[in-house]
Amino acid sequence: MEDNPHLKHTPLHALHLSLGARMVPFAGYDMPVQYPDGVMKEHQHTRVAAGLFDVSHMGQVIVRPKSGKIEDAALALEKLVPVDVLGLAEGRQRYGLFTNTEGGILDDLMITNRGDHLFLVVNAACKDADFELLKKGLSDTCEVTLLDDRALIALQGPHAEAVLGELWADVSAMRFMDVAEADLHDVTCIIARSGYTGEDGFEISIPVASAVDVTQRLLEHPDVKPIGLGARDSLRLEAGLCLYGNDIDTSTTPVEAGLEWAMQKARRAGGAREGGFPGADRILGQFADGASRRRVGLKPEGRAPVRGGANLFADAEGKTPVGQVTSGGFGPSVDGPVAMGYVAAGHIENGTTLFAEVRGKYLPVVVAALPFVKQTYKR
């Protein structure tokens, strides 16, 4: 396969090629979109056993308080995210959002309290901008380091705990969003019980020097198969989870995106640390008054998928526009097409029939509750 010299490689790139992966450009990286089994089988395998994903293209960042007090790092980061970071206990992880002054979402991220520092995981396409944002916003009080010496993999699915349990028995005691350090095949890794498929599973940060060895050994387990971006996308879509750049971006606010749950009480109106983050006036205003549009689940009738970018109308003649699809495709576990999109506030009730424009036709789609499949997180 001809290599693109403009694309970056993760530490597992050669392993993907050796496994027969079809590679595609994604967020500046040459990434596996599928392996020889194909997207459908990879999706189903993750739902019934354990799928292994390379997410090393994502950014891993350490925020270390100069004072040595984790509270100082938490309060500094709260100036950039509408999230209760101060209340995050040691060894726990929380979903967060960087917002801009208009209340739009600059990126979504995971935030972990590691005791003496915060550990962040940010999206690949945004990591350079995020790093600059963090340095500019936190450099008075914190040392900010973008790690380039660690890989990141995700092991997802109902057998993930049993697979890791053969290497580290204490993994069974971890709850959803717990983070711990443990040795896997004699390599010290940072393990978070989280992921982006809706399944129980783990994200594992590994020193680059040992990344291929640990990953290969996990793949030797009969329950584990490598999974590419294609199945990653259908899994996360069925789970109703946002993909940055598709379902959320600088033009969408947390309230419009249905992500109010990511803003804890302390940061909302009347909370202990109300506001104080970029875009607070608009976002808190939408909490109080509602937003003019909202992200919803959509189930197209029939078997034809409705893709991102399709316009949505209230009528079958395409006269009254009410929104747009942001993600869509076939859901192997649902056994039918599924989609998400933004819809005007008067049309968001579950069961509402809308019409998606697909190649000049107006196909009926029904507003549906998210997620499309039951999430199996171990809480």
Side-chain angles (χ1 to χ4, degrees):
M1 181 179 293
E2 186 177 347
D3 202 7
N4 184 334
H6 302 294
L7 294 176
K8 291 182 277 191
H9 293 176
T10 73
L12 303 179
H13 186 266
L15 178 60
H16 299 313
L17 296 180
S18 73
L19 294 170
R22 183 161 72 84
M23 309 297 283
V24 298
F26 181 79
Y29 284 80
D30 195 34
M31 297 295 292
V33 66
Q34 66 177 75
Y35 297 86
D37 279 351
V39 173
M40 184 74 76
K41 288 185 177 178
E42 291 173 24
H43 179 113
Q44 299 289 17
H45 184 83
T46 305
R47 289 275 187 247
V48 300
L52 191 149
F53 304 71
D54 179 12
V55 288
S56 302
H57 56 313
M58 302 181 79
Q60 301 180 63
V61 183
I62 284 180
V63 176
R64 190 178 298 278
K66 294 178 180 177
S67 67
K69 298 177 182 177
I70 191 68
E71 295 83 1
D72 291 342
L75 289 171
L77 186 58
E78 285 193 358
K79 294 177 181 176
L80 302 179
V81 298
V83 176
D84 178 8
V85 185
L86 185 63
L88 184 61
E90 182 175 347
R92 292 288 292 166
Q93 179 175 249
R94 179 165 282 168
Y95 179 79
L97 303 158
F98 288 122
T99 52
N100 63 23
T101 54
E102 290 75 42
I105 299 171
L106 291 168
D107 195 10
D108 59 348
L109 70 155
M110 301 303 293
I111 306 166
T112 298
N113 179 342
R114 295 271 294 147
D116 62 351
H117 67 274
L118 300 174
F119 179 66
L120 314 182
V121 177
V122 302
N123 281 301
C126 304
K127 63 183 175 185
D128 291 337
D130 291 343
F131 183 52
E132 291 303 315
L133 179 74
L134 287 164
K135 282 200 301 182
K136 184 177 179 181
L138 309 184
S139 58
D140 287 347
T141 54
C142 302
E143 301 288 345
V144 182
T145 307
L146 180 62
L147 303 179
D148 58 7
D149 60 352
R150 300 192 74 86
L152 190 68
I153 60 173
L155 187 67
Q156 298 280 291
H159 294 187
E161 180 185 280
V163 171
L164 276 192
E166 294 180 12
L167 305 176
W168 179 48
D170 289 349
V171 73
S172 62
M174 293 181 73
R175 297 172 296 141
F176 182 57
M177 293 296 196
D178 275 351
V179 179
E181 194 169 284
D183 288 350
L184 304 180
H185 294 298
D186 297 324
V187 178
T188 301
C189 300
I190 301 169
I191 301 173
R193 192 158 199 157
S194 60
Y196 228 60
T197 61
E199 297 293 331
D200 180 30
F202 304 86
E203 293 197 338
I204 306 167
S205 176
I206 313 168
V208 161
S210 303
V212 171
D213 182 52
V214 172
T215 303
Q216 277 182 318
R217 287 172 176 242
L218 287 170
L219 286 170
E220 287 171 1
H221 194 289
D223 289 349
V224 180
K225 287 183 178 294
I227 310 296
L229 291 171
R232 186 286 307 265
D233 203 43
S234 58
L235 289 158
R236 72 93 195 161
L237 176 57
E238 285 186 338
L241 300 172
C242 293
L243 180 65
Y244 191 82
N246 285 41
D247 308 296
I248 51 175
D249 58 28
T250 55
S251 71
T252 54
T253 70
V255 177
E256 291 169 348
L259 299 174
E260 294 97 329
W261 56 268
M263 291 179 57
Q264 291 72 32
K265 185 177 178 181
R267 307 307 307 280
R268 301 187 188 185
R273 297 181 307 287
E274 168 186 341
F277 50 83
D281 288 348
R282 183 182 181 197
I283 293 169
L284 295 181
Q286 289 184 343
F287 262 98
D289 303 326
S292 61
R293 61 174 185 156
R294 188 171 182 83
R295 179 175 61 94
V296 298
L298 299 163
K299 291 195 75 170
E301 296 185 354
R303 303 289 288 178
V306 175
R307 307 290 181 185
N311 290 316
L312 296 166
F313 298 86
D315 57 277
E317 293 76 35
K319 295 179 179 177
T320 308
V322 295
Q324 191 173 58
V325 174
T326 52
S327 287
F330 187 80
S333 303
V334 175
D335 191 27
V338 290
M340 296 192 295
Y342 285 85
V343 173
H347 303 269
I348 63 174
E349 290 298 319
N350 291 340
T352 302
T353 298
L354 303 174
F355 297 86
E357 184 180 11
V358 179
R359 292 189 291 275
K361 296 181 179 179
Y362 297 93
L363 307 180
V365 300
V366 178
V367 176
L370 293 172
F372 295 108
V373 296
K374 185 179 180 182
Q375 295 169 334
T376 60
Y377 307 135
K378 185 177 177 181
R379 298 186 185 277

